[in-house]
Amino acid sequence: MSVSDGPTGLRKENRKDNGEVETVRAVAYPAIQSLANTWSRDCARSMGEALAGDCIENDVDILLAPGVNIKRNVLNGRNFEYFSEDPYLAGTLAREYIEGLQSCGIGACLKHYYANNLEYNRLEQSSEVDERTLREIYLKPFQIACEAKPVSAMCAYNRINGVYASENKKGFRILREEFGFDGAIYSDWEAVRDRTAAAKAGLDIEFPFNQKNYEKLVADYHAGLISDEELDACAGRVLDLVYRCEEMRKQRKKAVSREKRHEVAQRIAE
């Protein structure tokens, strides 16, 4: 199963025989913040469908997009890959984007869950949010986007009311039990501090593999700090994701031409 980044177009890297890493050529699309400025469901769906073509050409199963966090601070370096300051606009266009992508047999990843609105000290800062504000603004776009049934979601780096996103059991419960999300959840790169606490909360996969965290998880298991049932729950969702990707591969058609995808990118930009 292959995943690749893609807020403004596919960003896949290949490693050559000599060890050098190169980024494959791909269509450059308007950033998601520009897509949001179209206020167009059609453009959002078209962009998802076109990006699926890039993924099919490059044997990528899951595109690590879209991001739906609210733009609260103009200094957030990730604003370009988030839709809007408005939760309804962000959620609605994300839903269309996901449906376009997944209708072509490529999985989506809804991110970065959740309240990821600052870059300053993003690995440690805590977003302090009261329940009503959380529900009406910061969680709302995730709720709307989940209507498209994304195959996966990615947790954020930050804490929410003092609890790391990767260990936020309440947040994962809301995502799965209230928003109807039925996919696998994985971490942003190096966002896991305590693999055991994250697994117990419901984080299924740590990106990237971390030997130290893995050894700690094994030791915690032998110490009785995490149960077979808790590990099986995570492993089961990982296997479900693999099987789901296999089924989606069967749905794929031949990718539309690069010229056609360029036309889509240009139309969205215009």
Side-chain angles (χ1 to χ4, degrees), residues 25-195:
R25 291 176 62 85
V27 175
Y29 298 88
I32 281 181
Q33 67 175 5
S34 298
L35 173 63
N37 290 337
T38 68
W39 292 74
S40 169
R41 292 182 176 92
D42 177 61
C43 282
R45 180 178 285 268
S46 296
M47 186 163 165
E49 292 170 348
L51 279 160
D54 292 289
C55 293
I56 292 168
E57 267 189 3
N58 291 282
D59 197 28
V60 170
D61 296 297
I62 298 175
L63 186 71
L64 300 178
V68 298
N69 290 94
I70 295 299
K71 296 192 204 185
R72 183 174 184 272
N73 188 312
V74 296
L75 300 181
N76 185 351
R78 283 179 157 178
N79 276 344
F80 77 97
E81 58 180 302
Y82 294 150
F83 284 90
S84 177
E85 307 92 327
D86 180 76
Y88 180 76
L89 177 62
T92 300
L93 294 195
R95 182 183 63 204
E96 298 296 323
Y97 178 108
I98 292 166
E99 287 181 350
L101 187 66
Q102 295 195 162
S103 69
C104 299
I106 300 298
C109 172
L110 187 62
K111 63 185 190 180
H112 300 91
Y113 192 72
Y114 56 113
N116 178 217
N117 311 103
L118 297 172
E119 286 297 274
Y120 176 74
N121 195 26
R122 76 178 181 186
L123 301 181
E124 300 294 339
Q125 68 92 13
S126 180
S127 298
E128 304 296 318
V129 196
D130 67 84
E131 191 71 13
R132 179 177 178 180
T133 307
L134 195 61
R135 296 282 184 162
E136 293 184 0
I137 298 177
Y138 297 100
L139 285 176
K140 181 59 72 173
F142 290 96
Q143 182 179 11
I144 298 170
C146 278
E147 294 172 7
K149 295 293 182 182
V151 303
S152 63
M154 180 182 288
C155 82
Y157 287 113
N158 54 281
R159 308 178 197 197
I160 302 94
N161 296 327
V163 181
Y164 281 115
S166 59
E167 302 170 18
N168 204 295
K169 189 171 185 176
K170 173 187 175 181
F172 294 151
R173 180 191 59 75
I174 292 171
L175 190 65
R176 289 185 168 119
E177 296 179 13
E178 297 186 34
F179 297 171
F181 175 76
D182 61 358
I185 302 175
Y186 29 75
S187 73
D188 206 338
W189 262 241
E190 309 288 358
V192 173
R193 276 71 173 186
D194 184 327
R195 186 66 187 98

Side-chain angles (χ1 to χ4, degrees), residues 202-238:
L203 184 81
D204 303 313
I205 308 173
E206 176 182 8
F207 278 159
F209 175 74
N210 184 306
Q211 184 68 33
K212 183 178 178 181
N213 284 356
Y214 172 72
E215 291 172 357
K216 175 72 163 47
L217 178 64
V218 172
D220 287 346
Y221 170 73
H222 289 304
L225 300 179
I226 185 168
S227 67
D228 286 328
E229 290 76 17
E230 289 169 319
L231 287 173
D232 285 347
C234 292
R237 289 187 290 261
V238 173

